[in-house]
């Protein structure tokens, strides 16, 4: 099919730019197998060129006639050499059905980003990343997402095959239960940023569940990029010992957000940029679906990973993503600055969480993990604990930690809580750590910075006390750090082994 000489460029209301190509029609198509419209298959291939500066989403309409059993799509694009420091071509793909491409609409049928070069959808089944269901007659839309475009532009080829026949039946999805047996009110360990073969991961759901149990986790959240296809894929994998929550990693061009614990099957759209001023609407949709809004790896170094939407609509922030690297260090320091602002009365504070973002071996599920004080092992209780900041982060389940502040009259507060005592009342901060490696140290951080620190013995366990007043420290939080690689010459602390949310001091 020839591309229009002048492509129609428009904008979705409140969305990133889009480009619509001429429709693919099978009315006069040649049949590869000589069959009729009621049987066999038909195939068409479209080629085109996208220049640098193309809109974020390029829609290829496909006119699907009646009697189609399965739609299959494959694509490829050129990857020319580019000068050093220049982005080459990267192009994602997905599809919407005859119900349309409206933002947040019902037409979404799947997204695989750049993880797959082909997919198929029928009533009975679909390629991971895509949603099984009837292939209804009408205009479907194959969506190309030119993530980055080389100076030479992006030459693409899309092949669409329609297979005719009886449609079959769509299996009724079986979703994970929202409660596990648990231990009543207790500290529960979880990893809520994980990927499988349903997006760009290499593990199956069964492999992720096994890895979660091996890591000593009590709960996990499935968070595939821009798709809900994994939600019914965990049948038989949950149990009394493992709560599996459903969610999504909403992957926009200006940052990623973990939608933690959304209702099964609920899709959250991602087709907008920060300049579109649309994120608040979709943050509300996450909450309406029962989820938490958690910006992921805010200072990540991959294209599109930096968080540009601000934190006014967030419920928590992922300050530690996978191995603790300089971008995590920047995020922790930025987050600590927001605690200082909250201490001044400038807005609310956001709890910190950590996730593995594990995709494949050798990435470790549960490194790091968020440890949450919850009333039981259920979606609601885990979310309540995170939202309140009753949580801390550890690199593994081998590490245990308690942090508390005690007043002179027996007043007590734990992580995420406030000790309501007078500004000049002396309080005692107690930190107990076990299970850390050799060479680690502990640090107590306040709105003035680090005010206490000491080495952890080679046994990996220690208990420390420090006294202060609310007038001297508006809050206190704990860090456990590995030894710095340079021996401390740079003054930059070593990687994190564990860290807590703050305990607030004083009446306000």
């Amino acid at each position: 099919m020839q591309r229009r000489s002048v492509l129609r460029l428009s904008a979705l209301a409140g969305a990133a730019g889009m480009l619509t190509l001429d429709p693919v029609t099978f009315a006069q198509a040649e049949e590869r197998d000589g069959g009729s419209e009621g049987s066999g298959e038909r195939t068409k291939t479209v080629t085109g060129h996208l220049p640098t500066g193309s809109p974020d989403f390029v829609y290829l309409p496909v006119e699907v006639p009646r009697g189609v059993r399965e739609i299959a799509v494959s694509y490829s694009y050129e990857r020319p050499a580019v000068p050093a420091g220049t982005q080459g071509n990267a192009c994602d793909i997905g599809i919407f059905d005859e119900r349309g491409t409206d933002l947040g609409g019902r037409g979404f049928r799947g997204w695989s980003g750049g993880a797959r070069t082909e997919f198929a959808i029928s009533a009975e089944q679909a390629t991971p990343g895509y949603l099984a269901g009837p292939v209804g007659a009408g205009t479907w839309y194959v969506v190309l997402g030119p993530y980055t475009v080389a100076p030479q532009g992006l030459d693409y080829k899309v092949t669409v095959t329609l297979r005719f026949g009886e449609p079959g039946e769509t299996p009724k999805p079986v979703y994970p239960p929202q409660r596990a047996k648990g231990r009543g009110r207790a500290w529960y360990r979880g990893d809520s940023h994980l990927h499988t073969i349903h997006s760009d991961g290499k593990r199956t759901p069964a492999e992720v569940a096994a890895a979660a149990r091996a890591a000593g986790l009590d709960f996990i959240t499935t968070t595939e990029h821009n798709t809900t296809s994994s939600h019914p894929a965990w049948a038989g994998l949950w149990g009394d010992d493992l709560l599996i929550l459903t969610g999504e990693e909403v992957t926009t061009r200006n940052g990623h957000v973990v939608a933690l614990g959304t209702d099964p099957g609920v899709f959250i759209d991602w087709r907008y940029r920060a300049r579109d001023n649309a994120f608040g609407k979709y943050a509300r949709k996450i909450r309406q679906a029962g989820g938490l809004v958690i910006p992921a790896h805010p200072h990540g170094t991959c294209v599109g990973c930096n968080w540009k939407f601000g934190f006014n609509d967030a419920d928590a922030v992922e300050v530690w993503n996978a191995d603790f690297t300089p971008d995590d260090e920047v995020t922790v320091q930025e987050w600590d600055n927001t605690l200082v602002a909250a201490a001044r009365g400038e807005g609310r504070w956001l709890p910190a969480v950590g996730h593995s973002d594990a995709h494949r071996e050798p990435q470790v599920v549960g490194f790091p993990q968020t440890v949450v004080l919850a009333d039981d092992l259920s979606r609601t209780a885990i979310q309540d604990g995170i939202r309140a900041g009753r949580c801390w982060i550890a690199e593994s389940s081998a590490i245990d930690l308690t942090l508390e502040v005690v007043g002179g009259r027996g007043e007590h507060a734990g992580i995420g809580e406030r000790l309501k005592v007078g500004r000049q009342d002396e309080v005692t901060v107690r930190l107990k750590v076990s299970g850390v490696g050799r060479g680690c140290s502990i640090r107590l951080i306040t709105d003035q910075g680090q005010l206490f620190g000491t080495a952890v013995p080679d046994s990996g366990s220690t208990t420390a006390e420090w006294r202060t007043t609310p007038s001297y420290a508006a809050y206190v939080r704990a860090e456990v750090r590995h030894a710095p690689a340079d021996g401390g010459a740079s003054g930059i602390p070593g990687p994190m082994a564990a860290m807590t949310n703050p305990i607030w001091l004083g009446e306000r």
Side-chain angles (χ1 to χ4, degrees):
M1 182 189 80
Q2 294 296 319
R3 190 168 61 97
R4 290 181 184 174
S5 57
V6 179
L7 294 169
R8 179 167 61 87
L9 177 61
S10 61
L12 290 166
M18 61 167 270
L19 193 67
T20 302
L21 305 174
D22 278 333
V24 177
T25 176
F26 287 80
Q28 303 298 325
E30 292 183 6
E31 298 173 23
R32 284 190 169 183
D33 62 353
S36 65
E37 187 173 287
S39 63
E41 66 180 41
R42 293 180 176 180
T43 297
K44 273 202 167 183
T45 297
V46 176
T47 60
H49 176 84
L50 298 175
T52 302
S54 292
D56 288 344
F57 302 103
V58 177
Y59 293 83
L60 175 62
V62 179
E63 301 298 338
V64 176
R66 290 185 177 85
V68 174
R69 175 181 60 82
E70 181 179 74
I71 182 169
V73 177
S74 63
Y75 84 120
S76 62
Y77 57 92
E78 296 297 323
R79 295 175 172 85
V82 297
T86 302
Q87 293 291 340
N89 284 334
C91 187
D92 295 343
I93 196 167
I95 196 167
F96 288 75
D97 67 20
E98 78 280 3
R99 292 171 293 182
T101 62
D102 290 346
L103 273 173
R106 297 189 303 156
F108 175 77
R109 290 298 293 270
W111 185 257
S112 51
R116 299 183 185 279
T117 59
E118 59 185 6
F119 61 86
I121 297 173
S122 69
E124 299 99 329
Q125 60 187 359
T127 302
Y130 294 82
L131 308 181
V135 182
T139 303
W140 286 53
Y141 294 86
V142 175
V143 187
L144 296 177
Y147 212 76
T148 55
V149 179
Q152 302 95 318
L154 187 150
D155 293 326
Y156 64 86
K157 180 170 72 173
V158 179
T159 299
V160 180
T161 298
L162 303 183
R163 300 187 175 105
F164 295 85
E166 293 299 320
E169 295 185 4
T170 303
K172 184 178 180 180
V174 178
Y175 296 124
Q178 297 184 15
R179 181 184 300 273
K181 183 178 181 181
R183 304 181 298 277
R185 186 173 176 83
W187 291 94
Y188 294 101
R189 296 175 180 266
D191 187 351
S192 291
H193 188 169
L194 292 163
H195 298 277
T196 72
I197 58 173
H198 284 264
S199 58
D200 57 345
K202 297 298 183 183
R203 294 181 174 106
T204 65
E207 289 169 334
V208 170
R213 287 183 165 96
L217 301 183
D218 301 294
F219 68 93
I220 59 174
T221 307
T222 173
T223 55
E224 309 296 355
H225 294 284
N226 300 339
T227 185
T228 59
S229 73
S230 69
H231 289 188
W234 300 83
L237 299 177
W238 59 79
D240 288 346
D241 63 329
L242 185 64
L243 173 69
I244 299 176
L245 304 179
T246 54
E248 180 183 338
E249 184 174 4
V250 183
T251 306
T252 80
R253 297 298 177 85
N254 287 150
H256 304 181
V257 61
V258 169
L260 191 161
T262 46
D263 292 334
V266 173
F267 161 68
I268 306 298
D269 217 314
W270 76 100
R271 294 171 292 161
Y272 42 84
R273 288 184 182 236
R275 64 189 180 213
D276 299 317
N277 197 29
F279 179 70
K281 173 182 178 180
Y282 291 95
R284 289 191 294 274
K285 287 186 177 296
I286 291 172
R287 293 195 186 93
Q288 289 166 1
L292 298 183
V293 179
I294 303 180
H297 44 66
H299 292 280
T301 56
C302 61
V303 175
C305 286
N306 293 125
W307 185 251
K308 304 295 187 184
F309 295 97
F311 295 95
N312 290 339
D313 294 298
D315 295 307
V317 59
E318 184 186 84
V319 303
W320 181 355
N321 176 280
D323 296 335
F324 195 85
T325 53
D327 59 289
D328 298 305
E329 189 70 61
V330 171
T331 303
V332 169
Q333 298 308 318
E334 177 184 59
W335 168 72
D336 189 76
N337 288 342
T338 68
L339 300 183
V340 176
R344 293 195 301 264
E346 299 175 6
R348 62 193 178 91
W349 70 282
L350 287 180
V353 296
H355 304 131
S356 75
D357 197 4
H359 287 67
R360 60 187 64 83
E361 298 293 346
Q363 297 166 353
V364 179
V365 172
F367 177 54
Q369 56 194 248
T370 300
V371 190
V372 184
L373 180 60
D375 288 336
D376 56 35
L377 187 53
S378 67
R379 175 174 80 159
T380 299
I382 293 295
Q383 290 176 325
D384 287 347
I386 293 172
R387 193 183 292 109
R390 298 192 305 265
C391 49
W392 57 280
I393 311 168
E395 65 181 5
S396 78
S397 59
I399 297 177
D400 200 8
L401 177 154
T402 58
L403 176 68
E404 62 179 359
V405 182
V406 180
R409 299 177 180 175
E411 305 96 332
H412 175 276
I415 297 169
E417 298 175 339
R418 177 176 289 276
L419 187 69
K420 296 182 178 181
V421 295
R423 284 178 52 80
Q424 302 303 326
D425 290 350
E426 186 176 84
V427 299
T428 301
V429 181
R430 294 185 180 132
L431 174 64
K432 184 177 181 180
V433 176
S434 63
V436 302
R438 292 193 174 203
C440 286
S441 61
I442 59 174
R443 296 154 37 104
L444 295 181
I445 312 295
T446 74
D447 52 319
Q448 294 191 68
Q450 179 179 335
L451 292 181
F452 177 84
T454 188
V456 178
D458 288 347
S459 65
S461 300
T462 192
T463 300
E465 289 192 356
W466 176 65
R467 290 178 175 81
T468 188
T469 64
S471 63
Y472 191 55
Y475 64 84
V476 60
R477 62 180 183 84
E479 293 182 353
V480 183
R481 297 271 191 162
H482 291 284
D486 62 0
S490 66
I492 299 174
M496 201 77 72
M499 61 174 286
T500 74
N501 277 289
I503 300 176
W504 298 89
L505 307 178
E507 295 289 345
R508 186 173 65 85

